[in-house]
Amino acid sequence: MSKQSIITGEVLLLCERVEMAQFMHAYLRHLFKQGISLPNMQIVNYQSIDKLDLLTKRLIQLEGREIVQKAVFFADAADERERRMQKFFAVRDNTFFRGVEYCTHFFFPGKKATKRWQKGYLEDMLLQSLRRESSECSYYNLYNMSAEYLQSVNCCRGRENRLVNYSRHLLYTYLAGTERYVGMRLGEAALAGAFDLEHPCYASLKECLQGLN
C-alpha cells in the first residue's frame, strides 16, 4: 500500500500478502479473457491482518477515496480464522469501510459445497488446479519426488519448526523442477498457464468476484 498514492478502482480487493495479490491479478486477467465483465478493480496488498488498521488510516487520506463502492478482504483460512473474521468485521464497521456500499471477506482456499470455508491457504487451491502438463517429464514422478524432498526437510527442521504453509513450499519445489516455470512466483506461473483456472476449486472465488457487479 505504501507505493500507492491514489485510489483508482471503485472496488478494492485487499490481499493479505504479495503472492495473493499477484495471483488475483492473474485470475482477473483470466476472467477478462473469458469475456466476464467486472467493475474497475484495484488490488491492494495489506501485508498482514495486524496491519489493517494502518491500511485504513492510509486509505482515508488518499485521493480518489470517494469513488470506492465495494471492497473484499482476502486472506488465508489458516489457524485463528475466527480472530481474522472478527478483525474484518471490526475494520468494516469502525473505519473507512463503514461508508462503503458493500464490504465482505473471502478465505482461501474457498468454500466447500456446503458453503463452509475450507481450512488452508491459497496454495492449497493452486495445488488442486496444477496442470498435469506443467511438467516436461512425468507429472506424478516430479510431484512425488517434490513431496518426498519436503518431508525430509520437515524432519530435519524438527517438530517445533515445521513448515507452516506446506503447500506453498511444495508448489515452489515442484515448479523448480520444470523448465518453463522455474524461478517464477505463483502469480507469474498462473499467467504462464501452470494452473487450470477453470478448475471447480475456483467456483466460490469466481462467484465472489461476479457478485461485485
Side-chain angles (χ1 to χ4, degrees):
M1 190 65 207
S2 60
K3 295 182 180 180
Q4 293 170 294
S5 59
I6 186 171
I7 296 176
T8 58
E10 61 188 79
V11 178
L12 295 182
L13 304 181
L14 304 128
C15 299
E16 183 180 12
R17 50 195 172 98
V18 65
E19 285 167 324
M20 196 175 287
Q22 291 171 343
F23 168 75
M24 288 304 300
H25 169 72
Y27 189 67
L28 288 177
R29 285 190 59 175
H30 168 74
L31 293 181
F32 177 77
K33 290 180 180 179
Q34 296 298 311
I36 295 175
S37 177
L38 294 171
N40 184 22
M41 296 182 174
Q42 184 171 359
I43 299 173
V44 176
N45 173 23
Y46 61 85
Q47 299 178 353
S48 77
I49 295 291
D50 295 328
K51 292 186 177 181
L52 274 178
D53 292 329
L54 293 175
L55 169 72
T56 55
K57 291 177 182 178
R58 175 77 170 140
L59 287 173
I60 201 69
Q61 300 173 356
L62 294 185
E63 179 184 348
R65 61 189 179 279
E66 68 281 353
I67 72 171
V68 178
Q69 299 178 12
K70 300 178 181 180
V72 183
F73 295 101
F74 290 93
D76 292 307
D79 294 333
E80 300 185 324
R81 183 175 53 192
E82 186 62 31
R83 182 183 76 85
R84 291 167 173 237
M85 191 178 301
Q86 293 304 318
K87 181 67 175 181
F88 292 146
F89 292 157
V91 169
R92 181 196 65 188
D93 297 339
N94 299 297
T95 65
F96 165 82
F97 297 98
R98 181 171 52 188
V100 172
E101 172 189 325
Y102 176 80
C103 187
T104 189
H105 61 275
F106 183 95
F107 283 123
F108 287 105
K111 290 184 176 181
K112 301 178 182 178
T114 58
K115 300 300 182 181
R116 294 180 65 87
W117 295 112
Q118 302 177 74
K119 184 177 179 180
Y121 298 88
L122 162 67
E123 288 81 2
D124 293 307
M125 176 185 282
L126 296 179
L127 270 180
Q128 290 184 62
S129 64
L130 186 59
R131 292 186 185 275
R132 300 299 181 263
E133 60 271 25
S134 56
S135 171
E136 299 83 9
C137 58
S138 167
Y139 163 85
Y140 293 103
N141 285 346
L142 179 57
Y143 185 95
N144 290 335
M145 289 176 64
S146 300
E148 289 174 6
Y149 167 74
L150 274 187
Q151 287 176 2
S152 298
V153 170
N154 247 348
C155 289
C156 291
R157 291 173 64 90
R159 182 174 298 179
E160 302 301 321
N161 198 29
R162 293 293 174 90
L163 298 171
V164 177
N165 182 351
Y166 181 85
S167 295
R168 176 176 181 268
H169 295 277
L170 179 54
L171 271 173
Y172 276 120
T173 302
Y174 175 90
L175 295 176
T178 70
E179 288 289 348
R180 184 174 184 183
Y181 306 109
V182 60
M184 288 186 179
R185 302 198 72 160
L186 298 181
E188 294 173 323
L191 286 172
F195 309 105
D196 174 12
L197 299 181
E198 285 295 301
H199 191 281
C201 67
Y202 294 100
S204 58
L205 176 60
K206 185 176 182 180
E207 181 181 0
C208 172
L209 293 172
Q210 288 185 298
L212 297 171
N213 279 312

